[in-house]
């Protein structure tokens, strides 16, 4: 049976200085991959790398990139290939757009989110694809949101961009399948990170209640009765990145404690 071992594989995990991305880097390294992490802060990335499990002689690394700068993303990805050889696993992840209604958002906010999420993912896939093809093994995993199945009130720009990424991912999943490359989305439910603390602060302000009350109301909609740990999202990502998931392609996988009510 194909297993979870990622020895000999190289991964790039974006948005990995904290939260879900950081946990994904840890999970992939745990399974044996050499991991490169990307985000904006050199200092925080160095902290992520220092915390990764490593076999003797395994050199993880980091790239300081703003995912909203499309040309820089492409340039960094090319430089990474020269340094590391083919990168077979790509985790597309970035900070969520600011909260607010869709009708209240400016065109600039939509454009910024589109660049940071969709265009970054697009140029990374384009740049890494030849190496994945050469290896006959590619795994693209996009961290998006349950909002692709049920839009979340107060996250207008985010809901819109996640839908665009989901549709892009489904399209390229079919284009890349013949080369042994899969493309899947992980849809985290409420996950205990900085983003969730920001979100509850915004929800509390909008509803005129305390942050504790906003948390309590959110939790009432989660059958598991608790929020996820980032490592629980990372476990799903690691599975999709592994040989075991070789025939899983083009899916949206909610990891939400049963929160979504739809099929
Ligand atoms: P987080 O805010 O804790 O971490 C985001 C990571 O992305 C950080 O490493 C940050 O430095 C990096 N980042 C942000 N903007 C960047 C940029 N322009 N360039 C490069 N790196 C950048 O978020 P998280 O909770 O770990 O969530 C990860 C993703 O999953 C986000 O898109 C979030 O909206 C989404 N999500 C989170 C939850 C949740 O409950 N936490 C639920 C659903 C979806």
């Amino acid at each position: 049976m194909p297993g979870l071992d990622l020895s000999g594989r190289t991964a790039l995990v974006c948005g990995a200085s904290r939260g879900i991305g950081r946990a994904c880097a840890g999970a992939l390294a745990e399974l044996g991959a050499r991991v490169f992490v990307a985000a904006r802060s050199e200092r925080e990335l160095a902290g992520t790398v220092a915390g990764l499990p490593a076999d003797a002689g395994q050199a993880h690394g980091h790239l300081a990139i703003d995912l909203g700068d499309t040309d820089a993303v492409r340039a960094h990805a090319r430089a990474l290939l020269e340094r590391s050889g083919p990168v077979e696993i790509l985790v597309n992840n970035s900070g969520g757009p600011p909260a607010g209604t869709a009708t209240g958002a400016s065109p600039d906010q939509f454009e910024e989110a589109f660049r940071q999420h969709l265009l970054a993912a697009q140029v990374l896939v384009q740049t890494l694809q030849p190496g994945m093809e050469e290896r006959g093994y590619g795994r693209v995993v996009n961290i998006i949101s349950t909002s692709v199945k049920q839009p979340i009130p107060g996250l207008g720009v985010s809901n819109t961009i996640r839908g665009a990424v989901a549709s892009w991912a489904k399209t390229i999943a079919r284009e890349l399948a013949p080369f042994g490359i899969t493309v899947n989305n992980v849809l985290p439910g409420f996950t205990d990170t900085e983003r969730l603390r920001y979100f509850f602060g915004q929800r509390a302000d909008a509803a005129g209640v305390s942050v504790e009350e906003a948390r309590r109301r959110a939790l009432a909609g989660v059958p598991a009765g608790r929020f996820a740990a980032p490592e629980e999202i990372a476990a799903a990502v690691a599975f999709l990145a592994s040989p075991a998931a070789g025939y899983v392609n083009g899916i949206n996988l909610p990891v939400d404690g049963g929160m979504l009510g739809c099929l």
Side-chain angles (χ1 to χ4, degrees):
M1 188 180 81
L4 298 172
D5 185 18
L6 295 178
S7 306
R9 303 288 181 202
T10 300
L12 171 61
V13 183
C14 299
S17 63
R18 60 171 190 256
I20 292 169
R22 185 178 179 140
C24 289
L28 296 175
E30 197 76 51
L31 294 179
R34 176 171 56 146
V35 179
F36 289 86
V37 292
R40 287 161 301 182
S41 159
E42 286 272 357
R43 191 179 53 80
E44 290 178 21
L45 287 169
T48 298
V49 171
L52 294 177
D55 293 340
Q58 174 130 291
H60 303 301
H62 71 268
L63 331 172
I65 335 180
D66 182 341
L67 291 163
D69 183 343
T70 311
D71 292 338
V73 173
R74 188 185 290 105
H76 275 283
R78 286 182 180 153
L80 173 62
L81 289 178
E82 278 172 25
R83 176 175 160 198
S84 71
V87 173
E88 298 107 327
I89 299 164
L90 168 64
V91 179
N92 284 312
N93 174 56
S94 189
T101 59
T103 45
S106 68
D108 283 353
Q109 285 177 294
F110 282 102
E111 277 183 7
E112 193 178 321
F114 194 79
R115 265 197 306 280
Q116 189 187 324
H117 291 265
L118 199 136
L119 296 186
Q122 164 72 6
V123 299
L124 286 170
V125 167
Q126 278 183 330
T127 310
L128 303 185
Q129 179 191 341
M132 292 179 181
E133 283 186 30
E134 185 188 316
R135 291 284 161 92
Y137 188 99
R139 297 284 189 269
V140 179
V141 185
N142 308 302
I143 311 292
I144 49 174
S145 170
T146 55
S147 67
V148 298
K149 294 196 174 271
Q150 194 173 320
I152 301 171
L155 289 180
V157 174
S158 180
N159 292 341
T160 308
I161 295 306
R162 308 308 183 168
V165 173
S167 193
W168 166 82
K170 187 71 178 171
T171 305
I172 67 165
R174 296 171 66 93
E175 292 175 3
L176 298 178
F179 307 107
I181 302 171
T182 65
V183 184
N184 293 293
N185 304 317
V186 167
L187 283 39
F190 294 120
T191 308
D192 198 3
T193 67
E194 207 164 294
R195 170 76 175 171
L196 194 65
R197 291 185 277 283
Y198 162 80
F199 177 66
F200 286 142
Q202 297 288 315
R203 269 212 165 166
D205 285 350
V209 299
S210 67
V211 171
E212 206 29 64
E213 176 60 13
R215 285 177 65 90
R216 199 194 57 72
R217 288 181 186 179
L219 207 48
V222 182
R226 63 180 180 81
F227 300 132
E231 291 73 18
E232 293 178 296
I233 310 302
V237 172
F239 164 70
L240 290 171
S242 76
Y247 206 61
V248 180
N249 195 18
I251 67 159
N252 288 312
L253 175 59
V255 186
D256 67 349
M259 180 178 70
L260 281 173
C262 53
L263 292 173

